[in-house]
Amino acid sequence: MVSAVIHTARQKFPSIHRPLDSVMTMTGFHRINDHLCVDGIRLDAIAAEFGTPLYVYSAAAITANYQAMKAVFAGPNKQIHYAMKANSNLAILKLMQTLRAAVDIVSIGEFERALAAGFTPQQMVFSGVGKTRDELQQAMAADIGQINAESQAEVETIIALAKQNGQKPAVALRINPDIKAGGHAKISTGSSDTKFGIAGHLASDIYIQMAESGVIRPAGLAVHIGSQIMDCSGFIAAWKYMLQLADRLVADGYAVPGLDLGGGIGIDYATGETADLNAFGEAITSVFENRGYHLAIEPGRSMVAEAGCLISQVINVKTTEDKRFVIVDGAMNDLIRPTLYEAFHRITPLTSPPSTTLSNVLPADIVGPVCETGDYLGLKRDLPKVAANDLIAVMSAGAYGAAMRSNYNTRPMAAEVMVINGTPHRISKPQQISDLLAMDIIPTALDVV
Ligand code: LLP
């Protein structure tokens, strides 16, 4: 087993984005004088117009992220599949579609979203360890681009459905290379003790079973070892492992048209820097150059994380003997990453001098109104003095932020705004409490209880 657990390896990833306080660029988040801005627009003005808590994204920053990835993954037989689970708002998908990305989907709900944003089924790869028969049938009926199967049982289900419905779907096998990588145990997917993929020693036989079924177009192999990966060594080991399997199948006379290298490339939440895409591109070249396989990658986080922030308003500041709690209107239901993965997101007031003097910076826990001690956005942070009604931004929240929102504590979900060509546009409707109540049903049978 190859072990490559890497959390943050900042030195290996030189910045392609500007630091938070820089005014050198007008794309993404930056300060102009004392004010935090997005693409040159003050975030306090956006908050005043759209309310808080509020997700704000920069279309320009997403575009730049995508182009940067494309630049290191260029060529005729290469396709970027945006892993839409990172942020599946229709406006973000539409932007990705306009940029000529394809998509990685993991449910029929994501399939419907991708369709609604203008993707064709052929531009979709369907990943996931537990696709239901209904989901598979719908995807196969639409002649989806590729299904990444994750077990022999799933392959057998696909074969049975294909025979039953007279279809010939394109199916790849996701392999499990038994490689540990990723920023947190909960998002590490490449080791043999996780539910993901098919063990290498079983993969060849299952691939052959697929190829010989007569009802499947074998599409190749896939691998995805985890998320928030800050070092290429785990990727390289996993890709080489997959390549060996592919080469062996080809030598045995089976067609292996494509290799799906997965997603997982991380960002440095402490600095706002995106991982070194050049190193990622070079790693791909070092393993696959001149090998003739069609290549796909499935980045999610690296496309959108830095391009979004969560704006929140201070409700109160509560000081106890030991602590200063800054209680804000954003909470764990809006951004669950800090409490779920102990994830760090920079937190900064929207208005403050860039070089805040030490005298007005105090440690604080930035917490939400939800009734759980785990409801925090940041702990033990050096935060300038703030008071009720001040605004703060939680940075690098464009990925797995809004996508993982909930209505816990009957809190309407934070709305979303995208800045496009210097103008903020609403991209999700503000939820009303009445919308939430309307989801529930009180059976009349309860009248007689
Ligand atoms: N492909 C597959 C099959 C995946 O399962 C994932 C993410 C990706 C691609 C995209 O990985 P990315 O490039 O975004 O790292 N909620 C967690 C992250 C979960 C990732 C799940 N799979 C978080 O907030 O950190």
Side-chain angles (χ1 to χ4, degrees):
M1 172 181 146
V2 185
S3 183
V5 185
I6 283 106
H7 291 262
T8 45
R10 210 181 128 191
Q11 65 283 7
K12 295 188 178 146
F13 293 94
S15 172
I16 61 160
H17 284 286
R18 304 284 179 221
L20 190 63
D21 288 339
S22 172
V23 291
M24 290 170 71
T25 174
M26 297 293 275
T27 296
F29 297 93
H30 48 271
R31 280 197 189 273
I32 299 180
N33 301 323
D34 290 352
H35 302 287
L36 189 62
C37 297
V38 56
D39 300 351
I41 305 172
R42 280 173 59 162
L43 282 165
D44 56 358
I46 296 178
E49 184 177 349
F50 296 95
T52 58
L54 182 73
Y55 277 99
V56 180
Y57 311 111
S58 157
I62 295 171
T63 303
N65 288 341
Y66 180 79
Q67 301 295 12
M69 187 64 94
K70 222 173 152 221
V72 302
F73 190 64
N77 294 327
K78 297 195 179 119
Q79 182 63 58
I80 299 176
H81 286 257
Y82 169 57
M84 61 181 279
K85 62 171 79 67
N87 192 320
S88 56
N89 183 289
L90 290 180
I92 292 198
L93 295 181
K94 177 73 198 167
L95 175 58
M96 286 295 177
Q97 194 257 345
T98 311
L99 292 169
R100 297 180 188 280
V103 269
D104 170 70
I105 66 164
V106 290
S107 70
I108 222 64
E110 288 197 346
F111 174 83
E112 297 283 355
R113 273 186 181 272
L115 276 188
F119 289 99
T120 64
Q122 290 67 45
Q123 291 176 300
M124 301 180 201
V125 168
F126 194 176
S127 300
V129 72
K131 305 169 204 82
T132 66
R133 281 164 183 72
D134 281 351
E135 287 183 311
L136 286 168
Q137 297 227 52
Q138 200 170 322
M140 285 160 64
D143 193 22
I144 197 159
Q146 180 174 313
I147 298 171
N148 286 354
E150 296 219 17
S151 63
Q152 181 161 21
E154 184 170 45
V155 166
E156 284 168 3
T157 303
I158 296 169
I159 291 174
L161 290 173
K163 284 185 178 159
Q164 179 187 311
N165 299 323
Q167 291 153 341
K168 208 165 180 196
V171 182
L173 287 190
R174 174 173 173 179
I175 55 158
N176 182 316
D178 198 12
I179 289 171
K180 213 168 190 156
H184 190 274
K186 289 180 183 165
I187 55 174
S188 177
T189 56
S191 48
S192 59
D193 56 354
T194 67
K195 64 182 175 181
F196 297 100
I198 297 171
H201 66 279
L202 303 174
S204 297
D205 282 352
I206 300 175
Y207 198 88
I208 292 166
Q209 181 185 2
M210 224 166 60
E212 292 181 350
S213 72
V215 291
I216 282 182
R217 282 174 285 142
L221 300 175
V223 72
H224 173 78
I225 56 173
S227 193
Q228 185 53 16
I229 298 170
M230 296 300 286
D231 182 285
C232 287
S233 59
F235 288 133
I236 292 174
W239 297 338
K240 283 188 172 165
Y241 185 86
M242 176 166 67
L243 185 61
Q244 263 186 7
L245 277 174
D247 284 348
R248 237 180 285 144
L249 283 163
V250 170
D252 289 345
Y254 295 96
V256 182
L259 298 177
D260 180 342
L261 318 188
I265 192 161
I267 66 148
D268 188 337
Y269 283 92
T271 62
E273 295 171 1
T274 296
D276 182 355
L277 297 185
N278 287 326
F280 184 70
E282 281 161 20
I284 293 174
T285 307
S286 76
V287 179
F288 298 104
E289 179 134 64
N290 302 325
R291 297 309 313 274
Y293 294 101
H294 286 255
L295 299 180
I297 53 173
E298 301 170 352
R301 186 189 315 267
S302 52
M303 300 292 93
V304 288
E306 284 306 323
C309 79
L310 174 66
I311 303 178
S312 190
Q313 186 168 42
V314 177
I315 299 172
N316 272 317
V317 178
K318 175 173 171 177
T319 312
T320 65
E321 265 178 36
D322 313 319
K323 278 190 175 173
R324 181 172 68 123
F325 292 100
V326 174
I327 305 167
V328 298
D329 64 0
M332 65 187 283
N333 74 297
D334 301 303
L335 180 66
I336 202 166
R337 301 195 72 259
T339 195
L340 188 57
Y341 312 115
E342 290 92 36
F344 178 93
H345 287 256
R346 286 164 296 136
I347 299 178
T348 181
L350 292 198
T351 304
S352 74
S355 54
T356 316
T357 57
L358 277 180
S359 62
N360 66 1
V361 172
L362 297 167
D365 285 3
I366 296 94
V367 301
V370 165
C371 301
E372 294 202 24
T373 303
D375 176 30
Y376 55 81
L377 299 174
L379 298 178
K380 295 187 190 142
R381 299 302 180 78
D382 287 335
L383 192 75
K385 278 183 188 159
V386 286
N389 301 324
D390 285 352
L391 294 162
I392 58 147
V394 184
M395 307 306 296
S396 309
Y400 306 110
M404 295 177 79
R405 289 168 301 179
S406 79
N407 290 122
Y408 186 41
N409 277 206
T410 308
R411 288 169 48 83
M413 287 185 188
E416 298 165 281
V417 163
M418 182 189 272
V419 175
I420 306 166
N421 297 327
T423 305
H425 296 266
R426 189 183 279 294
I427 61 166
S428 61
K429 288 184 191 155
Q431 258 184 346
Q432 306 301 323
I433 290 171
S434 54
D435 297 334
L436 309 187
L437 301 196
M439 296 294 294
D440 292 359
I441 298 166
I442 304 178
T444 51
L446 285 174
D447 294 347
V448 294
V449 171

